Amino acid sequence: MTTITSTKLTKKSHACVRLEKDGRTLVLDPGGFSEEDAAVGADAILVTHEHPDHFSEERLRAAMDADPAAEIWTLRSVAEKLAAAFPGRVHTVGHGDTFTAAGFDVQVHGELHAVIHPDIPRITNVGYLIDGGRVFHPGDALTVPDHAVETLMLPVMAPWSKISEVIDYVREVRPERAYDIHDALLTDLARPIYDNQIGALGGARHLRLAPGESTAL
C-alpha cells in the first residue's frame, strides 16, 4: 500500500506560499508585498515572473545568504539578476520543463503574463505544477495545465482580471479546491463578494487562508 505524504501549505502575504514536506520547504513568489522573511528557511524557491509583487531580489538574496544550499528555479528575466551572485544555484526554466526542488516534483506550465492592457507588452510568466497536481500556482496568468489539479492557488484579484474571468478559470481548471492568492489589493469590504460569487459559481471549494495560516493537503 502506497503512503501519501502530507504537504503543509502556508499562505504568506499576496502571492507567496510555502509548501513543507518531509522536513523540507519550497517557497513560491516571495515578492515585495510579502513578508521580509517570506523566503528565509526555504530549501528551494520558485519565481513565476519579474513583477515586484512576485519577485523581490532583496528577499531572495536574504534566503540564499541564510542557507548556502538553497536554490532558485525561475525564468530567464529573473535568473539573469541573480545567477552571477549565486553560481550554480539559480536555474532557468520554461514551459514544459520538469525538475525536483526540495523533494517536490515540479512541472512548468505557461509562457506569458496575462494581458494588462493591449498597449503594454506582455512579459514571460510561468506556472508551477507541484507533485503531479497536488498544487498549481499559475503566477499572473490564467494558465490551464494539461493535468488534473487538486489545489489551485487562485489569483483572485488583480489589475489584469475581472471576477467573471476568475470564475471561468476555476471552472476550466476544475480543481478539488481553490485557495486565494494575489489578494493584497482586495479589501475586507470586497472579500464577501468574491467569496460568495466564486464559491457559488466556480464549481470547486473556494477557500481562503490569512497570511501565516496553514493547512494540510
Side-chain angles (χ1 to χ4, degrees):
M1 187 169 117
T2 302
T3 300
I4 299 176
T5 304
S6 175
T7 297
K8 180 182 178 182
L9 165 68
T10 301
K11 171 77 164 63
K12 307 299 284 185
S13 294
H14 197 50
C16 181
V17 297
R18 295 174 71 97
L19 300 175
E20 297 172 66
K21 182 183 69 172
D22 297 331
R24 306 188 74 190
T25 300
L26 177 68
V27 172
L28 295 93
D29 277 6
F33 290 178
S34 303
E35 297 79 1
E36 289 189 10
D37 63 349
V40 174
D43 297 287
I45 303 164
L46 311 182
V47 180
T48 62
H49 66 288
E50 65 197 70
H51 282 164
D53 57 325
H54 295 255
F55 161 55
S56 165
E57 186 170 345
E58 178 183 1
R59 284 158 176 72
L60 293 182
R61 286 178 177 271
M64 298 289 273
D65 288 337
D67 182 356
E71 299 179 79
I72 295 172
W73 282 262
T74 186
L75 39 70
R76 184 173 304 280
S77 59
V78 172
E80 288 175 344
K81 295 178 171 63
L82 296 162
F86 305 102
R89 299 169 60 194
V90 181
H91 312 281
T92 301
V93 297
H95 177 70
D97 288 342
T98 61
F99 57 93
T100 300
F104 293 86
D105 294 327
V106 184
Q107 300 175 16
V108 184
H109 291 264
E111 298 180 85
L112 292 173
H113 191 287
V115 174
I116 301 171
H117 187 276
D119 290 352
I120 300 176
R122 296 173 73 183
I123 62 169
T124 307
N125 176 98
V126 294
Y128 297 105
L129 187 77
I130 312 295
D131 280 351
R134 181 168 287 188
V135 176
F136 182 58
H137 189 308
D140 273 7
L142 302 180
T143 302
V144 179
D146 56 355
H147 197 289
V149 174
E150 293 180 22
T151 302
L152 174 65
M153 306 313 302
L154 178 65
V156 68
M157 189 272 190
W160 45 264
S161 73
K162 56 186 178 180
I163 196 168
S164 64
E165 296 171 335
V166 175
I167 291 167
D168 287 346
Y169 181 52
V170 177
R171 288 180 173 182
E172 193 169 0
V173 176
R174 299 177 62 188
E176 294 181 18
R177 65 192 73 86
Y179 279 97
D180 286 352
I181 58 168
H182 213 282
D183 56 358
L185 302 181
L186 185 61
T187 69
D188 289 340
L189 286 173
R191 285 189 186 277
I193 299 171
Y194 280 75
D195 290 344
N196 291 337
Q197 294 189 359
I198 298 171
L201 300 173
R205 292 177 62 207
H206 176 237
L207 304 160
R208 178 157 40 88
L209 296 172
E213 193 174 359
S214 301
T215 190
L217 302 177

PDB file of all heavy atoms in Angstrom, residues 97-129:
ATOM      1  N   ASP A  97       9.357  22.208 -18.943  1.00  0.00           N
ATOM      2  CA  ASP A  97      10.457  21.675 -18.146  1.00  0.00           C
ATOM      3  C   ASP A  97       9.932  20.944 -16.911  1.00  0.00           C
ATOM      4  O   ASP A  97       8.865  21.266 -16.378  1.00  0.00           O
ATOM      5  CB  ASP A  97      11.394  22.792 -17.689  1.00  0.00           C
ATOM      6  CG  ASP A  97      12.234  23.351 -18.825  1.00  0.00           C
ATOM      7  OD1 ASP A  97      12.359  22.677 -19.859  1.00  0.00           O
ATOM      8  OD2 ASP A  97      12.755  24.483 -18.682  1.00  0.00           O
ATOM      9  N   THR A  98      10.690  19.956 -16.463  1.00  0.00           N
ATOM     10  CA  THR A  98      10.398  19.243 -15.223  1.00  0.00           C
ATOM     11  C   THR A  98      11.679  19.179 -14.392  1.00  0.00           C
ATOM     12  O   THR A  98      12.779  19.091 -14.934  1.00  0.00           O
ATOM     13  CB  THR A  98       9.875  17.826 -15.483  1.00  0.00           C
ATOM     14  OG1 THR A  98      10.875  17.079 -16.188  1.00  0.00           O
ATOM     15  CG2 THR A  98       8.593  17.859 -16.301  1.00  0.00           C
ATOM     16  N   PHE A  99      11.518  19.224 -13.074  1.00  0.00           N
ATOM     17  CA  PHE A  99      12.676  19.157 -12.188  1.00  0.00           C
ATOM     18  C   PHE A  99      12.188  18.814 -10.784  1.00  0.00           C
ATOM     19  O   PHE A  99      10.983  18.792 -10.510  1.00  0.00           O
ATOM     20  CB  PHE A  99      13.454  20.478 -12.184  1.00  0.00           C
ATOM     21  CG  PHE A  99      12.638  21.687 -11.798  1.00  0.00           C
ATOM     22  CD1 PHE A  99      12.576  22.132 -10.480  1.00  0.00           C
ATOM     23  CD2 PHE A  99      11.931  22.404 -12.762  1.00  0.00           C
ATOM     24  CE1 PHE A  99      11.829  23.245 -10.127  1.00  0.00           C
ATOM     25  CE2 PHE A  99      11.175  23.519 -12.415  1.00  0.00           C
ATOM     26  CZ  PHE A  99      11.126  23.942 -11.097  1.00  0.00           C
ATOM     27  N   THR A 100      13.140  18.546  -9.899  1.00  0.00           N
ATOM     28  CA  THR A 100      12.828  18.291  -8.491  1.00  0.00           C
ATOM     29  C   THR A 100      13.483  19.376  -7.652  1.00  0.00           C
ATOM     30  O   THR A 100      14.673  19.667  -7.816  1.00  0.00           O
ATOM     31  CB  THR A 100      13.334  16.907  -8.059  1.00  0.00           C
ATOM     32  OG1 THR A 100      12.699  15.907  -8.858  1.00  0.00           O
ATOM     33  CG2 THR A 100      13.001  16.648  -6.586  1.00  0.00           C
ATOM     34  N   ALA A 101      12.691  19.990  -6.761  1.00  0.00           N
ATOM     35  CA  ALA A 101      13.184  21.060  -5.893  1.00  0.00           C
ATOM     36  C   ALA A 101      12.706  20.806  -4.475  1.00  0.00           C
ATOM     37  O   ALA A 101      11.503  20.671  -4.240  1.00  0.00           O
ATOM     38  CB  ALA A 101      12.673  22.421  -6.381  1.00  0.00           C
ATOM     39  N   ALA A 102      13.653  20.691  -3.537  1.00  0.00           N
ATOM     40  CA  ALA A 102      13.340  20.446  -2.123  1.00  0.00           C
ATOM     41  C   ALA A 102      12.468  19.200  -1.944  1.00  0.00           C
ATOM     42  O   ALA A 102      11.618  19.145  -1.056  1.00  0.00           O
ATOM     43  CB  ALA A 102      12.666  21.662  -1.504  1.00  0.00           C
ATOM     44  N   GLY A 103      12.657  18.214  -2.807  1.00  0.00           N
ATOM     45  CA  GLY A 103      11.901  16.983  -2.711  1.00  0.00           C
ATOM     46  C   GLY A 103      10.538  17.017  -3.372  1.00  0.00           C
ATOM     47  O   GLY A 103       9.807  16.022  -3.348  1.00  0.00           O
ATOM     48  N   PHE A 104      10.186  18.136  -3.981  1.00  0.00           N
ATOM     49  CA  PHE A 104       8.921  18.271  -4.707  1.00  0.00           C
ATOM     50  C   PHE A 104       9.181  18.108  -6.199  1.00  0.00           C
ATOM     51  O   PHE A 104      10.118  18.689  -6.749  1.00  0.00           O
ATOM     52  CB  PHE A 104       8.305  19.652  -4.475  1.00  0.00           C
ATOM     53  CG  PHE A 104       7.841  19.908  -3.069  1.00  0.00           C
ATOM     54  CD1 PHE A 104       8.717  20.383  -2.107  1.00  0.00           C
ATOM     55  CD2 PHE A 104       6.520  19.685  -2.705  1.00  0.00           C
ATOM     56  CE1 PHE A 104       8.299  20.623  -0.799  1.00  0.00           C
ATOM     57  CE2 PHE A 104       6.083  19.924  -1.402  1.00  0.00           C
ATOM     58  CZ  PHE A 104       6.978  20.401  -0.453  1.00  0.00           C
ATOM     59  N   ASP A 105       8.325  17.336  -6.869  1.00  0.00           N
ATOM     60  CA  ASP A 105       8.395  17.222  -8.326  1.00  0.00           C
ATOM     61  C   ASP A 105       7.646  18.399  -8.940  1.00  0.00           C
ATOM     62  O   ASP A 105       6.510  18.688  -8.560  1.00  0.00           O
ATOM     63  CB  ASP A 105       7.761  15.905  -8.785  1.00  0.00           C
ATOM     64  CG  ASP A 105       8.549  14.691  -8.318  1.00  0.00           C
ATOM     65  OD1 ASP A 105       9.788  14.790  -8.216  1.00  0.00           O
ATOM     66  OD2 ASP A 105       7.921  13.653  -8.039  1.00  0.00           O
ATOM     67  N   VAL A 106       8.275  19.076  -9.888  1.00  0.00           N
ATOM     68  CA  VAL A 106       7.715  20.310 -10.445  1.00  0.00           C
ATOM     69  C   VAL A 106       7.651  20.226 -11.968  1.00  0.00           C
ATOM     70  O   VAL A 106       8.614  19.795 -12.611  1.00  0.00           O
ATOM     71  CB  VAL A 106       8.566  21.535 -10.043  1.00  0.00           C
ATOM     72  CG1 VAL A 106       7.915  22.827 -10.542  1.00  0.00           C
ATOM     73  CG2 VAL A 106       8.769  21.592  -8.530  1.00  0.00           C
ATOM     74  N   GLN A 107       6.515  20.617 -12.519  1.00  0.00           N
ATOM     75  CA  GLN A 107       6.354  20.775 -13.958  1.00  0.00           C
ATOM     76  C   GLN A 107       6.052  22.246 -14.244  1.00  0.00           C
ATOM     77  O   GLN A 107       5.289  22.882 -13.506  1.00  0.00           O
ATOM     78  CB  GLN A 107       5.205  19.912 -14.488  1.00  0.00           C
ATOM     79  CG  GLN A 107       5.362  18.430 -14.267  1.00  0.00           C
ATOM     80  CD  GLN A 107       4.137  17.651 -14.716  1.00  0.00           C
ATOM     81  OE1 GLN A 107       3.294  18.155 -15.458  1.00  0.00           O
ATOM     82  NE2 GLN A 107       4.014  16.429 -14.259  1.00  0.00           N
ATOM     83  N   VAL A 108       6.631  22.773 -15.305  1.00  0.00           N
ATOM     84  CA  VAL A 108       6.454  24.186 -15.664  1.00  0.00           C
ATOM     85  C   VAL A 108       5.397  24.314 -16.755  1.00  0.00           C
ATOM     86  O   VAL A 108       5.461  23.626 -17.777  1.00  0.00           O
ATOM     87  CB  VAL A 108       7.784  24.800 -16.153  1.00  0.00           C
ATOM     88  CG1 VAL A 108       7.618  26.296 -16.423  1.00  0.00           C
ATOM     89  CG2 VAL A 108       8.888  24.567 -15.115  1.00  0.00           C
ATOM     90  N   HIS A 109       4.431  25.192 -16.528  1.00  0.00           N
ATOM     91  CA  HIS A 109       3.329  25.393 -17.476  1.00  0.00           C
ATOM     92  C   HIS A 109       3.146  26.883 -17.749  1.00  0.00           C
ATOM     93  O   HIS A 109       3.129  27.695 -16.832  1.00  0.00           O
ATOM     94  CB  HIS A 109       2.017  24.837 -16.912  1.00  0.00           C
ATOM     95  CG  HIS A 109       1.982  23.348 -16.809  1.00  0.00           C
ATOM     96  ND1 HIS A 109       1.427  22.547 -17.784  1.00  0.00           N
ATOM     97  CD2 HIS A 109       2.447  22.508 -15.857  1.00  0.00           C
ATOM     98  CE1 HIS A 109       1.544  21.278 -17.425  1.00  0.00           C
ATOM     99  NE2 HIS A 109       2.156  21.230 -16.261  1.00  0.00           N
ATOM    100  N   GLY A 110       2.971  27.212 -19.016  1.00  0.00           N
ATOM    101  CA  GLY A 110       2.664  28.590 -19.382  1.00  0.00           C
ATOM    102  C   GLY A 110       3.873  29.360 -19.861  1.00  0.00           C
ATOM    103  O   GLY A 110       5.020  28.984 -19.597  1.00  0.00           O
ATOM    104  N   GLU A 111       3.588  30.474 -20.569  1.00  0.00           N
ATOM    105  CA  GLU A 111       4.673  31.240 -21.167  1.00  0.00           C
ATOM    106  C   GLU A 111       4.526  32.751 -20.989  1.00  0.00           C
ATOM    107  O   GLU A 111       5.528  33.454 -20.897  1.00  0.00           O
ATOM    108  CB  GLU A 111       4.765  30.927 -22.658  1.00  0.00           C
ATOM    109  CG  GLU A 111       5.074  29.472 -22.956  1.00  0.00           C
ATOM    110  CD  GLU A 111       5.160  29.181 -24.438  1.00  0.00           C
ATOM    111  OE1 GLU A 111       6.251  29.388 -25.009  1.00  0.00           O
ATOM    112  OE2 GLU A 111       4.143  28.781 -25.019  1.00  0.00           O
ATOM    113  N   LEU A 112       3.294  33.272 -20.941  1.00  0.00           N
ATOM    114  CA  LEU A 112       3.103  34.724 -20.950  1.00  0.00           C
ATOM    115  C   LEU A 112       2.224  35.191 -19.801  1.00  0.00           C
ATOM    116  O   LEU A 112       1.290  34.506 -19.382  1.00  0.00           O
ATOM    117  CB  LEU A 112       2.468  35.171 -22.272  1.00  0.00           C
ATOM    118  CG  LEU A 112       3.321  35.037 -23.523  1.00  0.00           C
ATOM    119  CD1 LEU A 112       2.501  35.355 -24.764  1.00  0.00           C
ATOM    120  CD2 LEU A 112       4.546  35.947 -23.444  1.00  0.00           C
ATOM    121  N   HIS A 113       2.532  36.378 -19.324  1.00  0.00           N
ATOM    122  CA  HIS A 113       1.706  37.073 -18.335  1.00  0.00           C
ATOM    123  C   HIS A 113       0.352  37.408 -18.961  1.00  0.00           C
ATOM    124  O   HIS A 113       0.237  37.594 -20.177  1.00  0.00           O
ATOM    125  CB  HIS A 113       2.429  38.368 -17.931  1.00  0.00           C
ATOM    126  CG  HIS A 113       1.873  39.084 -16.747  1.00  0.00           C
ATOM    127  ND1 HIS A 113       0.694  39.787 -16.796  1.00  0.00           N
ATOM    128  CD2 HIS A 113       2.348  39.243 -15.488  1.00  0.00           C
ATOM    129  CE1 HIS A 113       0.471  40.346 -15.618  1.00  0.00           C
ATOM    130  NE2 HIS A 113       1.450  40.015 -14.802  1.00  0.00           N
ATOM    131  N   ALA A 114      -0.683  37.469 -18.136  1.00  0.00           N
ATOM    132  CA  ALA A 114      -1.989  37.891 -18.637  1.00  0.00           C
ATOM    133  C   ALA A 114      -1.909  39.303 -19.232  1.00  0.00           C
ATOM    134  O   ALA A 114      -1.031  40.092 -18.877  1.00  0.00           O
ATOM    135  CB  ALA A 114      -3.003  37.878 -17.492  1.00  0.00           C
ATOM    136  N   VAL A 115      -2.826  39.615 -20.126  1.00  0.00           N
ATOM    137  CA  VAL A 115      -2.858  40.940 -20.750  1.00  0.00           C
ATOM    138  C   VAL A 115      -3.309  41.965 -19.711  1.00  0.00           C
ATOM    139  O   VAL A 115      -4.399  41.856 -19.132  1.00  0.00           O
ATOM    140  CB  VAL A 115      -3.812  40.961 -21.961  1.00  0.00           C
ATOM    141  CG1 VAL A 115      -3.942  42.371 -22.513  1.00  0.00           C
ATOM    142  CG2 VAL A 115      -3.317  40.010 -23.041  1.00  0.00           C
ATOM    143  N   ILE A 116      -2.458  42.963 -19.466  1.00  0.00           N
ATOM    144  CA  ILE A 116      -2.829  44.068 -18.576  1.00  0.00           C
ATOM    145  C   ILE A 116      -3.574  45.125 -19.379  1.00  0.00           C
ATOM    146  O   ILE A 116      -4.631  45.611 -18.983  1.00  0.00           O
ATOM    147  CB  ILE A 116      -1.577  44.668 -17.915  1.00  0.00           C
ATOM    148  CG1 ILE A 116      -0.831  43.586 -17.117  1.00  0.00           C
ATOM    149  CG2 ILE A 116      -1.952  45.846 -17.012  1.00  0.00           C
ATOM    150  CD1 ILE A 116       0.517  44.032 -16.602  1.00  0.00           C
ATOM    151  N   HIS A 117      -3.008  45.490 -20.525  1.00  0.00           N
ATOM    152  CA  HIS A 117      -3.619  46.399 -21.492  1.00  0.00           C
ATOM    153  C   HIS A 117      -2.934  46.147 -22.827  1.00  0.00           C
ATOM    154  O   HIS A 117      -1.724  45.845 -22.855  1.00  0.00           O
ATOM    155  CB  HIS A 117      -3.432  47.857 -21.058  1.00  0.00           C
ATOM    156  CG  HIS A 117      -4.181  48.828 -21.923  1.00  0.00           C
ATOM    157  ND1 HIS A 117      -3.674  49.295 -23.115  1.00  0.00           N
ATOM    158  CD2 HIS A 117      -5.412  49.386 -21.782  1.00  0.00           C
ATOM    159  CE1 HIS A 117      -4.548  50.115 -23.672  1.00  0.00           C
ATOM    160  NE2 HIS A 117      -5.608  50.184 -22.881  1.00  0.00           N
ATOM    161  N   PRO A 118      -3.653  46.242 -23.939  1.00  0.00           N
ATOM    162  CA  PRO A 118      -3.027  45.978 -25.241  1.00  0.00           C
ATOM    163  C   PRO A 118      -1.796  46.842 -25.514  1.00  0.00           C
ATOM    164  O   PRO A 118      -0.926  46.435 -26.306  1.00  0.00           O
ATOM    165  CB  PRO A 118      -4.149  46.278 -26.239  1.00  0.00           C
ATOM    166  CG  PRO A 118      -5.405  46.018 -25.476  1.00  0.00           C
ATOM    167  CD  PRO A 118      -5.117  46.452 -24.070  1.00  0.00           C
ATOM    168  N   ASP A 119      -1.712  48.012 -24.891  1.00  0.00           N
ATOM    169  CA  ASP A 119      -0.557  48.889 -25.110  1.00  0.00           C
ATOM    170  C   ASP A 119       0.668  48.486 -24.294  1.00  0.00           C
ATOM    171  O   ASP A 119       1.747  49.057 -24.488  1.00  0.00           O
ATOM    172  CB  ASP A 119      -0.914  50.339 -24.766  1.00  0.00           C
ATOM    173  CG  ASP A 119      -1.884  50.942 -25.771  1.00  0.00           C
ATOM    174  OD1 ASP A 119      -2.155  50.298 -26.806  1.00  0.00           O
ATOM    175  OD2 ASP A 119      -2.388  52.061 -25.522  1.00  0.00           O
ATOM    176  N   ILE A 120       0.509  47.552 -23.370  1.00  0.00           N
ATOM    177  CA  ILE A 120       1.617  47.122 -22.516  1.00  0.00           C
ATOM    178  C   ILE A 120       2.135  45.782 -23.015  1.00  0.00           C
ATOM    179  O   ILE A 120       1.389  44.799 -23.060  1.00  0.00           O
ATOM    180  CB  ILE A 120       1.164  46.992 -21.046  1.00  0.00           C
ATOM    181  CG1 ILE A 120       0.657  48.334 -20.529  1.00  0.00           C
ATOM    182  CG2 ILE A 120       2.303  46.476 -20.169  1.00  0.00           C
ATOM    183  CD1 ILE A 120       0.092  48.271 -19.114  1.00  0.00           C
ATOM    184  N   PRO A 121       3.411  45.713 -23.409  1.00  0.00           N
ATOM    185  CA  PRO A 121       3.960  44.432 -23.895  1.00  0.00           C
ATOM    186  C   PRO A 121       3.853  43.354 -22.813  1.00  0.00           C
ATOM    187  O   PRO A 121       4.075  43.616 -21.628  1.00  0.00           O
ATOM    188  CB  PRO A 121       5.422  44.764 -24.199  1.00  0.00           C
ATOM    189  CG  PRO A 121       5.446  46.251 -24.397  1.00  0.00           C
ATOM    190  CD  PRO A 121       4.407  46.800 -23.474  1.00  0.00           C
ATOM    191  N   ARG A 122       3.525  42.153 -23.240  1.00  0.00           N
ATOM    192  CA  ARG A 122       3.417  41.038 -22.302  1.00  0.00           C
ATOM    193  C   ARG A 122       4.797  40.470 -21.985  1.00  0.00           C
ATOM    194  O   ARG A 122       5.632  40.297 -22.883  1.00  0.00           O
ATOM    195  CB  ARG A 122       2.518  39.946 -22.876  1.00  0.00           C
ATOM    196  CG  ARG A 122       1.077  40.391 -23.068  1.00  0.00           C
ATOM    197  CD  ARG A 122       0.248  39.342 -23.788  1.00  0.00           C
ATOM    198  NE  ARG A 122      -0.040  38.195 -22.919  1.00  0.00           N
ATOM    199  CZ  ARG A 122      -0.698  37.112 -23.327  1.00  0.00           C
ATOM    200  NH1 ARG A 122      -1.095  37.024 -24.592  1.00  0.00           N
ATOM    201  NH2 ARG A 122      -0.944  36.130 -22.497  1.00  0.00           N
ATOM    202  N   ILE A 123       5.031  40.202 -20.709  1.00  0.00           N
ATOM    203  CA  ILE A 123       6.276  39.600 -20.288  1.00  0.00           C
ATOM    204  C   ILE A 123       6.076  38.094 -20.105  1.00  0.00           C
ATOM    205  O   ILE A 123       4.970  37.580 -20.150  1.00  0.00           O
ATOM    206  CB  ILE A 123       6.793  40.222 -18.972  1.00  0.00           C
ATOM    207  CG1 ILE A 123       5.784  39.970 -17.838  1.00  0.00           C
ATOM    208  CG2 ILE A 123       7.067  41.708 -19.159  1.00  0.00           C
ATOM    209  CD1 ILE A 123       6.325  40.310 -16.458  1.00  0.00           C
ATOM    210  N   THR A 124       7.176  37.399 -19.889  1.00  0.00           N
ATOM    211  CA  THR A 124       7.118  35.972 -19.657  1.00  0.00           C
ATOM    212  C   THR A 124       6.584  35.683 -18.259  1.00  0.00           C
ATOM    213  O   THR A 124       6.871  36.401 -17.307  1.00  0.00           O
ATOM    214  CB  THR A 124       8.514  35.346 -19.809  1.00  0.00           C
ATOM    215  OG1 THR A 124       9.058  35.731 -21.067  1.00  0.00           O
ATOM    216  CG2 THR A 124       8.455  33.828 -19.739  1.00  0.00           C
ATOM    217  N   ASN A 125       5.801  34.632 -18.138  1.00  0.00           N
ATOM    218  CA  ASN A 125       5.261  34.164 -16.856  1.00  0.00           C
ATOM    219  C   ASN A 125       5.132  32.648 -16.937  1.00  0.00           C
ATOM    220  O   ASN A 125       4.640  32.116 -17.936  1.00  0.00           O
ATOM    221  CB  ASN A 125       3.890  34.792 -16.601  1.00  0.00           C
ATOM    222  CG  ASN A 125       3.217  34.289 -15.333  1.00  0.00           C
ATOM    223  OD1 ASN A 125       3.280  34.924 -14.292  1.00  0.00           O
ATOM    224  ND2 ASN A 125       2.544  33.145 -15.400  1.00  0.00           N
ATOM    225  N   VAL A 126       5.567  31.966 -15.899  1.00  0.00           N
ATOM    226  CA  VAL A 126       5.409  30.518 -15.864  1.00  0.00           C
ATOM    227  C   VAL A 126       4.655  30.121 -14.598  1.00  0.00           C
ATOM    228  O   VAL A 126       4.739  30.785 -13.567  1.00  0.00           O
ATOM    229  CB  VAL A 126       6.771  29.779 -15.912  1.00  0.00           C
ATOM    230  CG1 VAL A 126       7.451  30.006 -17.247  1.00  0.00           C
ATOM    231  CG2 VAL A 126       7.676  30.180 -14.760  1.00  0.00           C
ATOM    232  N   GLY A 127       3.894  29.027 -14.701  1.00  0.00           N
ATOM    233  CA  GLY A 127       3.225  28.446 -13.550  1.00  0.00           C
ATOM    234  C   GLY A 127       3.906  27.154 -13.154  1.00  0.00           C
ATOM    235  O   GLY A 127       4.600  26.535 -13.961  1.00  0.00           O
ATOM    236  N   TYR A 128       3.707  26.758 -11.905  1.00  0.00           N
ATOM    237  CA  TYR A 128       4.371  25.565 -11.397  1.00  0.00           C
ATOM    238  C   TYR A 128       3.338  24.558 -10.876  1.00  0.00           C
ATOM    239  O   TYR A 128       2.555  24.875  -9.982  1.00  0.00           O
ATOM    240  CB  TYR A 128       5.340  25.930 -10.272  1.00  0.00           C
ATOM    241  CG  TYR A 128       6.466  26.833 -10.732  1.00  0.00           C
ATOM    242  CD1 TYR A 128       6.470  28.183 -10.409  1.00  0.00           C
ATOM    243  CD2 TYR A 128       7.519  26.337 -11.504  1.00  0.00           C
ATOM    244  CE1 TYR A 128       7.493  29.022 -10.823  1.00  0.00           C
ATOM    245  CE2 TYR A 128       8.551  27.168 -11.930  1.00  0.00           C
ATOM    246  CZ  TYR A 128       8.533  28.506 -11.581  1.00  0.00           C
ATOM    247  OH  TYR A 128       9.550  29.332 -11.996  1.00  0.00           O
ATOM    248  N   LEU A 129       3.369  23.356 -11.450  1.00  0.00           N
ATOM    249  CA  LEU A 129       2.523  22.252 -11.020  1.00  0.00           C
ATOM    250  C   LEU A 129       3.369  21.371 -10.102  1.00  0.00           C
ATOM    251  O   LEU A 129       4.403  20.844 -10.520  1.00  0.00           O
ATOM    252  CB  LEU A 129       2.031  21.456 -12.229  1.00  0.00           C
ATOM    253  CG  LEU A 129       1.001  20.369 -11.948  1.00  0.00           C
ATOM    254  CD1 LEU A 129      -0.375  20.988 -11.716  1.00  0.00           C
ATOM    255  CD2 LEU A 129       0.920  19.388 -13.115  1.00  0.00           C
TER     256      LEU A 129
END
